[in-house]
């Protein structure tokens, strides 16, 4: 409706929807490189390698988010060209990382929740692009922001998502030993050694005085 005016609805997407193996490989890496708005597969490979170096868990979550974005876009009938260039799936990677490991702890329950958010962000990307197109805007990372805020607000209603680590009891800090442990603290052993040495030297001096008398 409304013809070619600014209030007109966007036209239907067109193009082939069949994905070939090379399209899948490019889509997987372009979903990473599009985080910097670059359609370069080698940039996506370097970024993913850096994430794996920082955290293997985060790298696996990023891969799961990229795959979720590809599957969701393909299932909804998005053109293969849009999927391959990464513009349909980079928000899915961001949402997956945010909801499983950043704002929520990494756990099986939060992983499923994050992948659901990744699929939601993928479906929301063309909607945001259509809403901003009349004013000359672009989707950018708005689907990531909106999806993450919505899912974080809903997460408080699901205790399994917000408190997977509460079952662990509080323990001593890493690197510290309890006073009741088998091995004494190094500082206390040094002080004990000093006291025993002083006691021995004092005893020897007393014996020397007795012999002199």
């Amino acid at each position: 409706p409304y013809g070619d005016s600014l209030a007109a609805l966007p036209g239907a997407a067109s193009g082939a929807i069949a994905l070939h193996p090379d399209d899948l490989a490019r889509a997987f890496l372009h979903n990473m490189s599009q985080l910097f708005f670059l359609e370069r597969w080698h940039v996506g490979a370097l970024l993913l390698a850096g994430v794996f170096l920082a955290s293997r868990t985060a790298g696996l979550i990023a891969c799961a988010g990229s795959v979720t974005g590809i599957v969701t876009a393909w299932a909804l009938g998005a053109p293969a060209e849009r999927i391959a260039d990464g513009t349909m799936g980079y928000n899915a990677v961001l949402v997956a990382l945010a909801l499983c490991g950043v704002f929520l702890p990494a756990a099986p329950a939060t992983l499923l929740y994050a992948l659901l958010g990744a699929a939601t962000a993928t479906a929301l990307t063309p909607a945001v692009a259509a809403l901003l197109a009349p004013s000359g805007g672009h989707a950018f990372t708005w689907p990531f922001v909106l999806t993450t805020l919505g899912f974080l607000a809903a997460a408080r209603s699901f205790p399994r998502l917000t408190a997977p680590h509460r079952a662990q009891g509080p323990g001593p800090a890493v690197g510290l030993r309890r006073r009741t442990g088998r091995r004494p603290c190094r500082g206390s052993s040094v002080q004990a050694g000093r006291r025993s040495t002083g006691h021995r030297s004092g005893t020897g001096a007393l014996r020397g005085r007795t012999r002199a008398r």
Side-chain angles (χ1 to χ4, degrees):
Y2 302 106
D4 296 329
S5 65
L6 293 178
L9 294 175
S14 59
I17 61 174
L19 288 173
H20 301 285
D22 57 336
D23 294 330
L24 293 174
R26 288 189 297 118
F28 180 80
L29 293 176
H30 285 163
N31 286 344
M32 308 294 176
S33 65
Q34 286 288 357
L35 299 179
F36 296 97
F37 308 110
L38 295 173
E39 189 181 343
R40 298 288 187 272
W41 68 266
H42 56 276
V43 175
L46 289 174
L47 178 60
L48 185 59
V51 174
F52 267 105
L53 286 176
S55 171
R56 184 175 61 179
T57 301
L60 293 175
I61 294 171
C63 292
S66 181
V67 172
T68 301
I70 295 172
V71 172
T72 303
W74 173 80
L76 295 178
E81 183 179 359
R82 291 284 309 279
I83 299 176
D85 64 12
T87 55
M88 289 291 295
Y90 66 94
N91 282 291
V93 177
L94 291 174
V95 171
L97 289 171
L99 296 179
C100 186
V102 178
F103 297 109
L104 296 176
T110 55
L111 177 60
L112 295 177
Y113 194 66
L115 296 183
L116 178 60
T120 303
T122 303
L124 191 61
T125 297
V128 174
L131 290 174
L132 298 178
S135 60
H138 301 278
F140 292 127
T141 57
W142 274 111
F144 153 67
V145 173
L146 296 175
T147 303
T148 302
L149 289 177
F151 273 66
L152 285 178
R156 293 183 174 274
S157 300
F158 309 109
R160 290 185 179 180
L161 301 177
T162 56
H165 294 307
R166 289 182 181 177
Q168 299 179 358
V174 177
L176 299 179
R177 296 182 182 271
R178 294 182 179 179
R179 295 182 178 179
T180 57
R182 296 181 179 178
R183 298 181 181 178
C185 181
R186 184 177 180 182
S188 61
S189 61
V190 172
Q191 292 179 1
R194 291 178 179 176
R195 291 177 181 176
S196 62
T197 303
H199 177 70
R200 291 177 183 176
S201 60
T203 304
L206 181 59
R207 289 178 180 176
R209 293 177 184 177
T210 304
R211 291 179 182 176
R213 290 179 181 178

